[in-house]
Amino acid sequence: DLRAGSRERWRILNAAAVNIDDVIIENFGGTGTNGRGITIETTAANVRVNVTNTNLYNINGIGIHSVPGGGSVRLVLNNVNIDRGGASGVQIGPNTTAVIDSSAITNHSVGDAVTIEQASSSLSISNSLLANNVNGVFSGVAGQAPTTRLYGNVITANTSNGLLISSGTVISLGNNMIRGNAGNETPTQTIGTN
């Protein structure tokens, strides 16, 4: 476990694959990369990062940030709880394919549950709770057009929007509960499941 007073955090710089399982990361008060719980900054291609059965609490910065300097990342979050952060719970930068399943991202009073930035990235969120954040999902930064897919999620009680779609595509498979948010709750597209 990584707790208050620790200067360490999970910072992935060069690896083919990383598995983070059954870990508690909490009370990081730093700024920039020192305030993040897990950051992926690799330049290698096809880096696979799996985070399972893990809890992040009171992270001053971004909970989990994929921001490769080159190459690409395949990120899977399964049964991950990210609560009470000072920025976004999960932030997906360039060249990242991310899957979030059976997770809860809550109580980010100045950040989004999930931010997906770039056209070179895609995100699938299933069976997860995104609640009490500024936005549930924030899609597209500076005109970029990422793709996000939603299946079986509860997106509620976010103070600005359930879905903030600056650009890109947010596809609902028609079985999400996106209600009780202050602003937009409508995806760009709704399709059936296969």
Side-chain angles (χ1 to χ4, degrees):
D1 295 350
L2 298 176
R3 299 182 184 269
S6 172
R7 293 183 54 87
E8 299 298 321
R9 66 197 178 289
W10 293 90
R11 188 173 182 206
I12 302 165
L13 300 174
N14 187 17
V18 175
N19 296 307
I20 300 170
D21 186 19
D22 199 23
V23 174
I24 296 172
I25 302 171
E26 64 181 356
N27 299 326
F28 281 11
T31 59
T33 58
N34 289 327
R36 297 179 191 157
I38 300 169
T39 183
I40 307 161
E41 303 173 42
T42 183
T43 58
N46 295 315
V47 174
R48 297 182 184 277
V49 178
N50 295 307
V51 183
T52 56
N53 305 316
T54 293
N55 298 294
L56 292 90
Y57 303 110
N58 286 334
I59 305 298
N60 193 51
I62 300 164
I64 299 174
H65 194 189
S66 180
V67 58
S72 58
V73 173
R74 304 237 179 234
L75 174 64
V76 175
L77 309 180
N78 183 265
N79 194 31
V80 174
N81 297 307
I82 305 172
D83 186 56
R84 297 185 317 270
S88 292
V90 177
Q91 191 158 340
I92 306 301
N95 303 318
T96 300
T97 300
V99 176
I100 301 171
D101 182 56
S102 301
S103 297
I105 307 170
T106 57
N107 298 308
H108 294 85
S109 62
V110 294
D112 309 312
V114 180
T115 301
I116 180 166
E117 300 175 353
Q118 305 288 321
S120 61
S121 296
S122 66
L123 169 65
S124 296
I125 307 172
S126 58
N127 307 308
S128 294
L129 171 65
L130 311 178
N132 297 319
N133 306 288
V134 174
N135 298 295
V137 174
F138 178 13
S139 173
V141 174
Q144 293 289 319
T147 299
T148 301
R149 293 171 187 85
L150 304 173
Y151 177 85
N153 300 293
V154 175
I155 302 174
T156 190
N158 295 290
T159 60
S160 186
N161 295 280
L163 306 172
L164 176 57
I165 306 168
S166 175
S167 58
T169 304
V170 176
I171 302 167
S172 170
L173 296 174
N175 62 347
N176 298 284
M177 196 287 283
I178 308 172
R179 293 287 182 263
N181 302 284
N184 182 53
E185 298 178 326
T186 306
T188 54
Q189 186 177 1
T190 299
I191 61 174
T193 60
N194 289 348

